[in-house]
Structure formats: C-alpha cells, structure tokens
Amino acid sequence: MSKPGQLVLVTLRKMIASGELAAGERLMEIPTAERFGVSRMPVRMAFRTLEQEGLLVRFGGRGFQVRSVSADDIAGAVEVRGVLEGLAARQAAERGLSHEAQEALQRCLVEGDQLFGKGFVTEEDLQAYHDLNMRFHQVIVEASHNPAIADALARNDHLPFASVTALAVDRHDLAREYRRFNYAHMQHHSVFDALVSRQGARAEAIMREHANATLRYAETFGAATADARMKVILPSA
C-alpha cells in the first residue's frame, strides 16, 4: 500500500478504536479523500483493508459504515490469535528452526534494535516496525509447518483488531508509543531465544502473552479508566 494509503488506514483505524468514528457512522470515498488531502485510490484501499479487518461494513453499495465492536469482541479475537500463534511457536521450536527462518528472525530483531536503540520513535519508525513485525510473525507461523494454523489465523484476521497487521498509532503521544512498541520488540527477543533453544512450552507461553499484552497496554503504561483502556486496544505486537 502507498504511503498516503497507509496514513489513511492507520488514522482511520485509530479513530475507530478511540470512538472518534462511532459505530454506525458512514464513510464515503470523496469526503474522506478531501478530509485527508489525498486522491480516492488510497482511501479506497484503506476502506477495503478495514472491511477485511472487520471494522467497516458496506452500506447500500455507496460507501461503508463503522461496525459496532465491543471490548469482548476484541478480547476474544486477540485471545484466539494468541492461542494460534502460541501453537505455531511451540511447533516451530519442537521441529527446530531452519537456517533461513533463524536468519529471517534475526534480521527482524536487528532492524528493531536499530529503530528503538535511539530512545524514541518517529511515525516512519513505527511504519518500519509494522513491516518487520509482520515478517517476524509470518516466519514463526511458516516455521510451524502446520498450514491449518495459517488458515485459522486468516479467518480470525477478519475479526476487529485481531490481525497482527492492525496497527493503530497515536501520533500525538509518540513517547508512549515508543514504550509500547519497544516492549513488544523485547518480547520478540524472548520468543526468539525460546525458539532457537527448542523450548516449545516457553515459546508458546511468550507468544500467547505477546498477543494478550495488547489488551493490557493501557494498564501497563498508566491509563486510568476503562474508557481510556479501550482507546488503546490496538493489536500491534
């Protein structure tokens, strides 16, 4: 997806998560394109992605509507992802990583270390993290050599905020985002250690925590209320 498309996608996802775009609100291509100062194509691609993620539904063939999403919906979908990715990690550890898989995971760790090593992040850094995070998770699923896991994850990805690619970023608090994503990256290091050590149970436990930690980011980093917690349920790990 183009950079304008990514900007529209991430911003709309955050607006839905925070409630700025309320359930039932209608979205049309032209007004949304004008709002973001982009052409219709990036908006169209963003809408399609959000529809696939279960955040938008088509409305009368002339646009989309924000889908009603509850905390239980999100929690359930993220928990299922944790179970599936945990199983993938356990099976990958028990089988042993191939040389290619180990190198691919190491590259993701090195890239992440470079992003977070300077002690802050930019929006561009977080987009780079989105890409390496997606690769990291994909390698683990593929290393399980269990196609049923990938199939089940693909179905689960259509539920709201369940996909590992469903990043939403608060551009107004990048210091907090640094803490959030750096924490997730440190978990990547831990699961990699478990994988190369062939510790299946440990790898599974870390990956399940890695997914479910997204439900506790607000608590971890100081948000005080349940409403605030919902605003940062942004599966990104």
Side-chain angles (χ1 to χ4, degrees), residues 154-168:
R155 290 192 295 273
N156 194 60
D157 283 351
H158 292 291
L159 299 174
F161 293 108
S163 173
V164 71
T165 65
L167 277 179

Side-chain angles (χ1 to χ4, degrees), residues 4 7-8 11-16 18-22 25-40 42-43 47 50 56 66 171-172:
L7 173 63
V8 174
T11 304
L12 287 176
R13 193 186 285 132
K14 176 66 170 60
M15 292 169 72
I16 294 170
S18 68
E20 186 176 347
L21 287 175
E25 188 163 344
R26 298 180 190 178
L27 293 174
M28 306 291 287
E29 280 186 16
I30 294 177
T32 303
E34 292 173 349
R35 178 175 189 171
F36 286 97
V38 298
S39 67
R40 295 176 63 179
V43 172
F47 282 178
L50 292 170
L56 296 181
V66 177
R171 293 180 292 162
H172 302 295

Side-chain angles (χ1 to χ4, degrees), residues 65-86:
Q65 235 178 6
V66 177
R67 177 179 170 183
S68 177
V69 180
S70 71
D72 287 343
D73 292 334
I74 297 171
V78 173
E79 185 172 5
V80 168
R81 177 162 68 88
V83 170
L84 291 170
E85 291 190 331

Side-chain angles (χ1 to χ4, degrees), residues 79-226:
E79 185 172 5
V80 168
R81 177 162 68 88
V83 170
L84 291 170
E85 291 190 331
L87 175 61
R90 176 169 64 80
Q91 293 186 342
E94 291 171 349
R95 292 179 62 95
L97 293 177
S98 68
H99 178 70
E100 292 76 16
Q102 187 167 331
E103 280 196 337
L105 293 176
Q106 284 179 313
R107 284 195 298 271
C108 291
L109 295 178
V110 170
E111 291 174 25
D113 289 344
Q114 293 171 344
L115 289 176
F116 298 111
K118 59 185 182 295
F120 65 91
V121 289
T122 64
E123 289 184 54
E124 290 74 19
D125 291 334
L126 293 178
Q127 180 56 50
Y129 177 79
H130 168 276
D131 295 339
L132 73 87
N133 179 63
M134 184 170 59
R135 294 199 310 273
F136 189 89
H137 285 250
Q138 286 176 339
V139 169
I140 292 175
V141 172
E142 291 169 2
S144 74
H145 294 277
N146 186 344
I149 295 176
D151 290 343
L153 281 169
R155 290 192 295 273
N156 194 60
D157 283 351
H158 292 291
L159 299 174
F161 293 108
S163 173
V164 71
T165 65
L167 277 179
V169 174
D170 186 351
R171 293 180 292 162
H172 302 295
D173 194 353
L174 289 178
R176 182 181 177 283
E177 297 296 69
Y178 170 81
R179 296 192 298 272
R180 185 160 75 94
F181 288 103
N182 185 51
Y183 176 64
H185 180 61
M186 290 303 100
Q187 288 183 315
H188 283 181
H189 275 281
S190 295
V191 74
F192 177 76
D193 181 71
L195 289 168
V196 297
S197 301
R198 304 193 68 166
Q199 298 171 330
R202 178 174 169 238
E204 180 174 20
I206 294 170
M207 283 301 286
R208 291 186 67 164
E209 167 61 21
H210 187 49
N212 286 311
T214 62
L215 299 176
R216 296 191 295 277
Y217 278 133
E219 179 180 317
T220 301
F221 296 124
T225 67

